[in-house]
């Protein structure tokens, strides 16, 4: 990245953001927005007799992610470029991204996402930077050092996608690796005469970058997945080191061999534990290849790497079998053992005789199957460990990594997530963006805290009218879209109650279902009463192997079948399952939403970023005190959100006491009625037993305590209704929320990472375009 202007500055250190997911969505409109060309393109396309919006709809989403983690990486790339940081995103160029979801008879059916079918105009293949990645083989300890021999080689072919900053002429790079078989792949088989087999076997190597694993917050210990994780790490580290060696950084050697300054020039951010192998791989390169002594290499590695934790759910933590490592990455296993031994020696010296602590803190978990705890490896091998919202970072310190926090408290930080206001306001909600620009100018697009300037307008009649009008236009537009796509008639003056995210028990789509059934029963009980009309929209994908999540989708669609066809209900309540929820659909639904559902059990959602998108786009939040909801309530005032339910300490107390679902079922008649209806087949008359697993889970082993929050949730929803009856009061709260959403820009998040973890300073320097001569 050119620095422009003062060239006597030493080139700044480079940031490498390593992630197995980059959920980019579409690129055309985002590129026009960031280059400041949208109006010009619009006009030019119109002159050609074409419609730009129609053109934009043709582009496939780049769905190389599952949900929050991959979308966060995409927002971060936008912010790093906008802040003028020399940053690279590194990941895998999956041939097939997150599956397309079809709903057939109410059930999710997966379809392969062949997003590259017509090519990808945004990427450029760079075969000149192709690199070898090694697997399997054996380790030999020789007098000249350690050799990793007889490996199988797969080539990593880089594809570069430009990442433009917002109107600053900075363009960074996202480099995604694709697996290619080398030409001599297994051709010894050729001598045996099975040439055809040998050529077909090339697929085995190339399968590494074939498909994204579709699990969100769930660890699946498959060998192919471990291969993907090492593949991206090995290729990326070679690239990083090549770049480090060839840049002069004011040093006179033609090739740089001294690694002393490596951590000053290179920052590697690990997006969750998926790229954790960066730690042993960097050690292997330094010790085995570059002949740096172990202690020096370890110091360099720790100073270079930093780790972001994204979840506290135990089933999500990566724990790889030692036997798999031994086969696939034998040298890395030795290095991990050596790292662990030194680590445990250090702990033992500080806590003599505390065997239990050693067991808890080991990277190797003993048991029937010995496993490698990748989170422990990341904490030990990084100089900074962060959670992604304040409450989450506290839980990380107090429970998940408690022992490690006691050992090195200075290592632990919080970096509350954010979203890019370019895609999540300017691009998806131009009406609202224009309304804000009219009042406070456009500087807020790169400094979202300036939205605070809207606070004095909270009682401004004209502004209240304008904001409400934009929302109504967005709702009409989305209603037309739904009518076209789903053939359902929507009442656009109903409250748009939206719950979109991955389908997971902890996100509690079931709590929403119970509320919908309760509303339905109330309308049936007293049809003459005045009800606030609602259109409840639930959307999201279930991991293909996650039985309960798929059943939840079936339940939502089944409730919809009953409610939507009941003449007594009319248009007072509609339930729609939004099929194939993805970035491009989020860009349509979020600007149209009135109510945003963020109702995870307290202590389970690390941060959430959908919550921030809804807040910025003028929806009010109903939510628990979990993840970033806590900070949203702090910024806007809790009275401007609808907060309900157990807090983290209440959940812990309930765990100690023992959670008994039947207690609530027996005590709350509306809850009992709803559960009995699900159980009896009221919503599945052709298959009365369809939902027995759901009811059994809710009654007997619900880790996420749905019934415990039901009563508070239903009461809170009644307050939502009450406020919605007062449109002006509602819109005032909306304006307050928008005005207080400035903290949740990914520009703020990345500025904190830059200063507090990477040791670099963001810059608002605008590089002049190439057609303007420099001094």
């Amino acid at each position: 990245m050119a620095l422009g202007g003062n060239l006597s500055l030493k080139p700044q250190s480079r940031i490498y953001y390593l992630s197995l997911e980059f959920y980019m969505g579409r690129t055309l409109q985002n590129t026009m927005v960031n280059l400041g060309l949208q109006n010009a393109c619009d006009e030019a396309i119109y002159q050609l007799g074409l419609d730009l919006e129609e053109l934009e709809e043709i582009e496939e989403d780049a769905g190389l992610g599952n949900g929050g983690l991959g979308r966060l990486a995409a927002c971060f790339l936008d912010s790093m470029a906008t802040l003028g940081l020399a940053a690279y995103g590194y990941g895998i160029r999956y041939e097939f991204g997150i599956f397309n979801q079809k709903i057939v008879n109410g059930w999710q059916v997966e379809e392969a996402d062949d997003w590259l079918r017509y090519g990808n105009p945004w990427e450029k293949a760079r075969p000149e930077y192709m690199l070898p990645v090694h697997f399997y083989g054996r380790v030999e300890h020789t007098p000249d050092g350690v050799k990793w021999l007889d490996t199988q080689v797969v080539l990593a072919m880089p594809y570069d996608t430009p990442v433009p900053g917002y109107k600053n002429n900075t363009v960074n790079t996202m480099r995604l690796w694709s697996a290619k078989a080398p030409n001599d792949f297994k051709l010894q088989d050729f001598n045996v005469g099975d040439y055809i087999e040998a050529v077909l076997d090339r697929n085995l190597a190339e399968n590494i970058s074939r498909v994204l694993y579709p699990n969100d917050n769930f660890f699946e210990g498959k060998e192919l997945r471990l291969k993907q994780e090492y593949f991206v790490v090995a290729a990326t580290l070679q690239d990083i080191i090549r770049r480090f060696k060839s840049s002069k950084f004011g040093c006179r050697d033609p090739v740089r061999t001294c690694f002393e300054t490596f951590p000053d020039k290179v920052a590697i951010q690990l997006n969750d534990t998926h790229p954790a192998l960066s730690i042993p791989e960097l050690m292997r390169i330094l010790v085995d290849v570059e002949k740096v002594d172990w202690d020096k290499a370890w110091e360099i590695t720790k100073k270079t790497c930093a780790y972001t934790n994204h979840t506290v759910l135990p089933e999500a933590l990566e724990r790889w079998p030692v036997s798999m490592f031994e086969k696939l990455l034998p040298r890395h296993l030795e290095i991990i053992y050596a790292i662990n031994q030194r680590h445990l020696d250090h702990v033992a010296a500080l806590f003599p005789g505390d065997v239990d602590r050693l067991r808890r803190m080991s990277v190797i978990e003993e048991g029937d199957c010995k496993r490698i705890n990748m989170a422990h490896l990341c904490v030990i091998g990084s100089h900074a460990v962060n959670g992604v919202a304040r409450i989450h970072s506290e839980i990380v310190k107090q429970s998940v990594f408690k022992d490690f926090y006691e050992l090195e408290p200075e290592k632990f930080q919080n970096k509350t997530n954010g979203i890019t206001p370019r895609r999540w306001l300017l691009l998806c909600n131009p009406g609202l963006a224009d309304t804000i620009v009219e009042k406070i100018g456009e500087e807020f697009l790169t400094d979202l805290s300036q939205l605070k300037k809207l606070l004095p307008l909270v009682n401004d009649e004209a502004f209240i009218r304008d904001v409400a009008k934009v929302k109504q236009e967005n709702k009409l537009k989305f209603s037309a879209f739904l009518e076209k796509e789903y053939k359902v008639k929507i009442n656009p003056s109903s409250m748009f109650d939206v719950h979109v995210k991955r389908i997971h028990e902890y996100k509690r789509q079931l709590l929403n279902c119970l509320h919908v059934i309760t509303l339905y029963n109330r309308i049936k009980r007293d049809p003459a009463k005045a009800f606030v009309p609602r259109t409840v929209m639930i959307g999201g994908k279930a991991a293909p192997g996650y039985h309960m999540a798929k059943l939840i989708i079936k339940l939502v669609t089944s409730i919809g079948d009953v409610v939507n066809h009941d003449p007594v209900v009319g248009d007072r309540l509609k339930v729609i399952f939004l099929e194939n929820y993805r970035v491009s659909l989020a860009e349509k639904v979020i600007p149209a939403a009135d109510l945003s559902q963020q109702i995870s059990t307290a202590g389970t959602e690390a941060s959430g970023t959908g919550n921030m998108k809804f807040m910025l786009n003028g929806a009010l939040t109903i939510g628990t005190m979990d993840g970033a909801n806590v900070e949203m309530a702090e910024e806007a005032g809790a009275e401007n959100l609808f907060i309900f339910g157990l807090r983290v300490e209440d959940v812990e107390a309930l765990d100690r006491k023992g959670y008994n679902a039947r207690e609530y079922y027996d005590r709350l008649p509306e809850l009992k009625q709803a559960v009995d209806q699900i159980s009896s087949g009221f919503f599945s008359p052709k298959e009365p037993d369809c939902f027995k697993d759901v009811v059994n889970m809710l009654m007997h082993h619900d880790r996420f305590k749905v019934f415990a929050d039901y009563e508070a949730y239903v009461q809170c929803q009644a307050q939502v209704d009450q406020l919605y009856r007062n449109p002006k009061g509602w819109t005032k709260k909306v304006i307050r929320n928008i005005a207080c959403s400035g903290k949740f820009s990914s520009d703020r998040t990345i500025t904190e990472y830059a200063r507090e973890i990477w040791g670099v300073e963001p810059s608002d320097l605008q590089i002049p375009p190439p057609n303007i001569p420099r001094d």
Side-chain angles (χ1 to χ4, degrees):
M1 188 201 95
L3 277 162
N6 182 0
L7 294 175
S8 65
L9 279 171
K10 280 206 324 201
Q12 67 180 107
S13 105
R14 293 190 168 111
I15 316 303
Y16 294 100
Y17 196 83
L18 268 65
S19 180
L20 265 90
E21 301 184 21
F22 285 96
Y23 202 171
M24 303 298 287
R26 293 170 174 165
T27 298
L28 174 62
Q29 194 184 355
N30 188 242
T31 304
M32 293 188 299
V33 163
N34 277 15
L35 297 181
L37 292 173
Q38 204 176 4
N39 292 343
C41 291
D42 216 345
E43 181 57 34
I45 293 289
Y46 176 75
Q47 294 291 333
L48 294 172
L50 298 168
D51 179 357
L52 187 57
E53 220 173 300
E54 266 177 50
L55 199 63
E56 288 162 355
E57 281 299 318
I58 295 168
E59 185 179 358
E60 295 268 358
D61 279 47
L64 308 185
N66 279 289
L69 175 140
R71 184 53 234 171
L72 184 78
C75 283
F76 280 4
L77 292 182
D78 182 87
S79 284
M80 290 187 291
T82 297
L83 291 167
L85 297 172
Y88 300 76
Y90 272 97
I92 294 179
R93 179 181 177 266
Y94 300 105
E95 199 176 317
F96 297 93
I98 187 65
F99 59 85
N100 285 314
Q101 179 193 57
K102 292 268 183 288
I103 301 295
V104 180
N105 313 314
W107 292 96
Q108 166 176 299
V109 175
E110 298 86 23
E111 227 171 54
D113 163 43
D114 193 1
W115 72 291
L116 294 169
R117 187 172 43 237
Y118 302 116
N120 171 10
W122 301 108
E123 69 184 9
K124 168 110 178 69
R126 305 299 299 273
E128 66 275 28
Y129 291 115
M130 187 140 64
L131 293 165
V133 175
H134 299 261
F135 293 101
Y136 304 108
R138 59 190 178 82
V139 180
E140 221 173 74
H141 291 258
T142 72
D144 320 334
V146 185
K147 305 264 190 286
W148 182 15
L149 305 167
D150 304 334
T151 55
Q152 288 184 21
V153 174
V154 177
L155 298 176
M157 161 86 89
Y159 286 79
D160 287 357
T161 299
V163 178
Y166 181 68
K167 292 186 177 177
N168 65 351
N169 291 310
T170 294
V171 182
N172 285 346
T173 299
M174 174 176 67
R175 176 163 285 185
L176 301 180
W177 301 102
S178 181
K180 285 198 48 93
N183 278 333
D184 58 359
F185 184 76
K186 278 218 175 162
L187 248 62
Q188 58 270 30
D189 297 6
F190 180 39
N191 307 328
V192 187
D194 209 344
Y195 159 73
I196 297 289
E197 272 306 303
V199 173
L200 295 182
D201 273 355
R202 295 171 62 90
N203 277 332
L204 296 173
E206 295 175 356
N207 277 339
I208 291 176
S209 56
R210 194 80 64 205
V211 60
L212 168 75
Y213 274 86
N215 299 317
D216 190 69
N217 274 302
F218 182 78
F219 169 61
E220 189 178 2
K222 294 280 199 289
E223 185 175 352
L224 180 59
R225 171 66 175 194
L226 185 57
K227 276 187 175 168
Q228 290 182 338
E229 293 186 359
Y230 181 62
F231 175 75
V232 65
V233 157
T236 301
L237 277 171
Q238 289 179 73
D239 222 24
I240 291 174
I241 284 165
R242 168 188 62 75
R243 215 174 265 130
F244 169 75
K245 285 184 167 182
S246 64
S247 32
K248 295 299 179 279
F249 288 130
C251 113
R252 300 244 175 276
D253 315 334
V255 175
R256 149 186 279 250
T257 47
C258 164
F259 281 85
E260 282 290 328
T261 59
F262 191 76
D264 304 329
K265 301 299 173 196
V266 174
I268 294 175
Q269 190 67 36
L270 308 176
N271 193 26
D272 214 336
T273 57
H274 314 144
L277 287 164
S278 301
I279 292 163
E281 173 66 2
L282 184 51
M283 284 299 285
R284 186 189 69 80
I285 295 168
L286 293 174
V287 173
D288 295 1
V289 182
E290 303 291 345
K291 308 297 183 202
V292 177
D293 80 80
W294 181 280
D295 291 333
K296 187 77 218 153
W298 184 240
E299 189 193 336
I300 290 168
T301 298
K302 269 182 76 161
K303 283 184 175 165
T304 303
C305 297
Y307 159 55
T308 302
N309 172 279
H310 282 273
T311 181
V312 298
L313 297 177
E315 65 269 31
L317 297 176
E318 292 196 294
R319 294 154 63 250
W320 291 103
V322 165
S323 54
M324 195 185 287
F325 254 83
E326 204 158 23
K327 183 172 80 151
L328 192 69
L329 300 167
R331 179 56 181 145
H332 296 77
L333 182 61
E334 291 185 349
I335 290 169
I336 288 168
Y337 271 131
I339 290 170
N340 193 40
Q341 192 54 58
R342 285 169 168 80
H343 159 64
L344 291 181
D345 290 347
H346 175 55
V347 175
L350 290 171
F351 302 92
D354 193 342
V355 184
D356 205 43
R357 183 181 295 262
L358 292 179
R359 184 186 52 73
R360 291 195 309 267
M361 294 185 75
S362 178
V363 175
I364 311 295
E365 296 181 353
E366 303 293 341
D368 302 343
C369 164
K370 279 175 89 165
R371 292 177 177 273
I372 302 174
N373 183 316
M374 300 305 270
H376 288 186
L377 180 63
C378 285
V379 174
I380 294 163
S382 298
H383 69 278
V385 175
N386 72 282
V388 289
R390 196 175 58 224
I391 184 176
H392 166 63
S393 296
E394 284 306 311
I395 292 170
V396 161
K397 295 192 299 196
Q398 303 311 324
S399 76
V400 197
F401 300 136
K402 184 172 192 286
D403 295 309
F404 295 91
Y405 175 64
E406 284 171 13
L407 195 67
E408 306 179 276
E410 67 290 340
K411 203 183 250 195
F412 289 80
Q413 302 190 13
N414 173 54
K415 296 286 168 277
T416 299
N417 283 163
I419 56 170
T420 167
R422 273 73 63 183
R423 185 178 293 263
W424 296 112
L425 180 57
L426 191 54
L427 181 156
C428 71
N429 201 344
L432 181 58
D434 287 346
T435 303
I436 295 171
V437 167
E438 272 173 35
K439 293 295 180 190
I440 65 170
E442 51 185 53
E443 269 183 32
F444 71 93
L445 289 165
T446 50
D447 174 12
L448 206 60
S449 65
Q450 297 209 15
L451 288 176
K452 280 262 188 282
K453 293 179 182 171
L454 295 174
L455 278 174
L457 298 171
V458 82
N459 295 309
D460 181 311
E461 298 287 341
F463 189 61
I464 293 170
R465 250 196 330 272
D466 290 344
V467 170
K469 180 165 172 275
V470 168
K471 179 63 74 181
Q472 203 47 45
E473 284 163 0
N474 291 340
K475 288 172 73 172
L476 283 165
K477 187 172 180 184
F478 192 61
S479 301
F481 167 81
L482 286 179
E483 215 167 311
K484 185 167 135 278
E485 295 293 313
Y486 296 88
K487 315 286 176 263
V488 280
K489 188 90 186 79
I490 301 285
N491 170 5
S493 64
S494 65
M495 183 199 306
F496 282 17
D497 169 345
V498 183
H499 195 180
V500 285
K501 49 188 75 251
R502 282 298 289 254
I503 309 293
H504 201 300
E505 287 163 83
Y506 89 85
K507 294 179 185 281
R508 297 203 295 190
Q509 284 89 359
L510 285 172
L511 184 55
N512 194 347
C513 288
L514 291 173
H515 175 246
V516 170
I517 296 170
T518 302
L519 285 184
Y520 171 73
N521 290 332
R522 287 177 181 179
I523 293 170
K524 294 289 280 184
R525 216 172 18 247
D526 192 356
K529 198 170 159 209
F531 288 90
V532 173
R534 274 193 197 232
T535 303
V536 178
M537 304 177 209
I538 299 178
K541 292 174 182 176
Y546 189 172
H547 168 67
M548 187 56 66
K550 291 187 140 178
L551 214 45
I552 291 169
I553 291 174
K554 174 63 173 170
L555 178 62
V556 173
T557 57
S558 302
I559 293 169
D561 288 340
V562 171
V563 171
N564 300 348
H565 298 113
D566 191 322
V568 175
V569 175
D571 66 0
R572 290 184 287 188
L573 184 61
K574 284 270 183 279
V575 180
I576 292 170
F577 186 83
L578 295 174
E579 199 175 307
N580 201 31
Y581 182 65
R582 58 200 186 281
V583 177
S584 55
L585 182 53
E587 289 165 4
K588 296 180 175 67
V589 65
I590 290 171
D594 291 305
L595 186 68
S596 155
Q597 300 240 18
Q598 309 295 337
I599 58 177
S600 53
T601 311
T604 60
E605 186 72 90
S607 166
T609 44
N611 47 3
M612 303 168 184
K613 293 163 195 168
F614 283 103
M615 183 186 196
L616 182 59
N617 282 277
L620 297 185
T621 302
I622 183 166
T624 49
M625 275 298 198
D626 198 22
N629 295 358
V630 176
E631 288 158 84
M632 285 163 50
E634 186 177 297
E635 293 295 304
E639 68 282 3
N640 293 303
L641 283 75
F642 298 98
I643 298 290
F644 71 93
L646 304 175
R647 308 300 202 251
V648 169
E649 45 282 12
D650 305 323
V651 174
E652 287 167 355
L654 191 51
D655 275 330
R656 285 193 297 272
K657 180 187 124 192
Y659 167 64
N660 177 5
R662 180 161 284 280
E663 234 172 83
Y664 302 93
Y665 171 85
D666 290 336
R667 183 167 61 78
L668 303 166
E670 287 190 305
L671 173 61
K672 181 178 191 301
Q673 182 186 7
V675 174
D676 290 349
Q677 285 168 308
I678 296 170
S679 176
S680 68
F682 179 87
F683 295 106
S684 52
K686 294 200 176 92
E687 261 185 286
D689 282 348
C690 186
F691 300 117
K692 67 173 190 318
D693 289 354
V694 174
V695 174
N696 181 43
M697 182 276 292
L698 286 173
M699 294 296 290
H700 304 295
H701 29 91
D702 174 12
R703 295 163 55 202
F704 302 107
K705 305 177 176 60
V706 171
F707 292 0
D709 274 339
Y710 168 84
E711 189 177 18
Y713 179 59
V714 171
Q715 285 170 359
C716 193
Q717 286 281 19
Q719 293 165 26
V720 174
D721 277 345
Q722 198 184 338
L723 186 63
Y724 196 74
R725 288 194 169 95
N726 167 6
K728 189 193 280 188
W730 181 278
T731 306
K732 283 184 178 186
K733 274 206 198 317
V734 164
I735 293 168
R736 264 212 183 80
N737 271 270
I738 295 169
C740 296
S741 61
K743 174 177 181 176
F744 306 106
S745 166
S746 48
D747 298 345
R748 187 267 317 150
T749 310
I750 288 297
T751 299
E752 291 180 13
Y753 274 98
R755 291 179 177 152
E756 296 162 30
I757 295 180
W758 306 328
V760 295
E761 193 53 38
S763 132
D764 53 4
L765 197 68
Q766 296 202 352
I767 301 164
N771 56 332
I772 291 175
R774 305 214 185 161
D775 317 334

